[in-house]
Amino acid sequence: MTRRPTFPATLPTQGAAAGRTRPATPAATAVRASASVAAVRPQGLGLDSQAARERMVQKLAAQGLSHPDVLAAMGGVQRHLFVDSALANQAYEDTSLPIGLGQTISKPNVVARMIELVLAAPAFAQATSAAQRGRILEIGTGCGYQAAVLARVAREVYSIERLRGLHDKARDNLRPMRLPNVHLLFGDGMLGYARGAPYSAIIAAAGGEAVPDAWIEQLAIGGRIVAPVQSTAGRQSLVVIDKLTHGVQKAFLEAVQFVPLKSGIA
Ligand code: SAH
């Protein structure tokens, strides 16, 4: 089955196709072979993924996202490798995309916005590099895209997924990228992941009625939770919860649309 896009045609010359663990399809082999004969130029708009990412980052900046580490991380992760080949040409548009099992990968704008909020946490205030930032817990690994972005801004990323099919898909997607600081976990993220605690931040990609107590318990002092939660009339908003020495501080931000946070595994 051809799952990997031949998009972008420039990948082989960038060396990014090396290290893939999936068997090469005839089509992929053909692209690779022709790329080794001559430096293949992208055929038409949208085929050069680096350029497409740069355009995406420019749009993010125009939309008000400004943290240099976030913009660099968004520009560095090949989003098209996380979606089905039929959707690869939409990978750098500001749109959410299906990733299977009824789940979706968030819009780049929302991913960047949430990570920017995470990096503004008191615990990260003094940090100027990923290495200085602590451990982040992501609830809802999905296809693994956001985990790959987080891996570029934090020292350690723990990411938990309740659907076995997506946990396996994320593992397959991330394996060739060799990110030693990403730890994928299969389980119910509503319980957090106590063994990795305390976290400097917890970021959720699925929204429930409230933020589970376990997340607050597993957060370090000075740490921050960024999550979608149900607000009025079944609507969702982003909530930012800071854990301070004297309690928690909550702020509700803009409306968002995330898949539901569900308990248990499947
Ligand atoms: N960050 C993901 C987005 C995935 S969508 C990405 O970049 O692809 C949200 C994911 O949250 C779905 O895969 C869904 O199965 C998962 N999810 C929902 N409730 C969960 C829970 N309690 N624990 C772990 N994952 C959960």
Side-chain angles (χ1 to χ4, degrees), residues 163-181:
L163 296 177
R164 170 68 77 180
L166 285 176
H167 169 75
D168 290 344
K169 184 184 252 190
R171 198 169 284 291
D172 286 350
N173 287 341
L174 291 168
R175 189 177 293 119
M177 296 172 195
R178 296 204 178 90
L179 303 172
N181 61 336

Side-chain angles (χ1 to χ4, degrees), residues 82 99-101 103-106 111 138-147 159-163 166 187-191 204-207 215 258-264:
F82 291 86
I99 53 172
L101 301 179
Q103 308 303 317
T104 52
I105 180 175
S106 308
V111 172
E138 180 192 30
I139 313 294
T141 313
C143 65
Y145 170 71
Q146 181 166 271
S159 182
I160 187 160
E161 173 57 54
R162 65 177 290 275
L163 296 177
L166 285 176
D188 181 359
M190 285 182 81
L191 309 172
W215 299 1
F258 278 82
V259 295
L261 181 72
K262 294 187 178 172
S263 61

Side-chain angles (χ1 to χ4, degrees), residues 27-237:
T29 310
V31 169
R32 235 164 273 177
S34 63
S36 63
V37 172
V40 172
R41 293 301 307 153
Q43 311 270 305
L45 269 180
L47 285 180
D48 180 341
S49 85
Q50 183 63 42
R53 271 193 303 287
E54 279 166 17
R55 281 195 298 276
M56 178 186 81
V57 168
Q58 279 163 11
K59 270 192 214 155
L60 292 173
Q63 288 164 341
L65 291 142
S66 62
H67 197 299
D69 293 3
V70 176
L71 294 176
M74 295 296 293
V77 178
Q78 303 189 75
R79 194 171 186 255
H80 67 276
L81 298 181
F82 291 86
V83 296
D84 204 72
S85 56
L87 300 170
N89 61 353
Q90 294 177 55
Y92 300 105
E93 288 170 21
D94 201 18
T95 177
S96 54
L97 293 170
I99 53 172
L101 301 179
Q103 308 303 317
T104 52
I105 180 175
S106 308
K107 289 178 182 196
N109 174 285
V110 173
V111 172
R113 163 82 171 138
M114 290 179 83
I115 299 178
E116 219 171 78
L117 287 168
V118 160
L119 295 196
F124 290 145
Q126 305 303 321
T128 52
S129 72
Q132 291 167 355
R133 297 194 190 103
R135 213 176 276 163
I136 295 185
L137 174 65
E138 180 192 30
I139 313 294
T141 313
C143 65
Y145 170 71
Q146 181 166 271
V149 180
L150 288 169
R152 291 174 173 248
V153 300
R155 185 159 47 80
E156 228 52 68
V157 179
Y158 286 76
S159 182
I160 187 160
E161 173 57 54
R162 65 177 290 275
L163 296 177
R164 170 68 77 180
L166 285 176
H167 169 75
D168 290 344
K169 184 184 252 190
R171 198 169 284 291
D172 286 350
N173 287 341
L174 291 168
R175 189 177 293 119
M177 296 172 195
R178 296 204 178 90
L179 303 172
N181 61 336
V182 175
H183 313 283
L184 297 184
L185 310 156
F186 173 58
D188 181 359
M190 285 182 81
L191 309 172
Y193 182 65
R195 287 174 63 187
Y199 300 100
S200 305
I202 299 178
I203 185 166
E209 286 180 7
V211 165
D213 290 342
W215 299 1
I216 295 171
E217 280 157 23
Q218 292 172 22
L219 199 61
I221 301 287
R224 171 172 284 192
I225 295 171
V226 180
V229 282
Q230 223 162 77
S231 48
T232 47
R235 295 193 174 207
Q236 269 182 351
S237 315

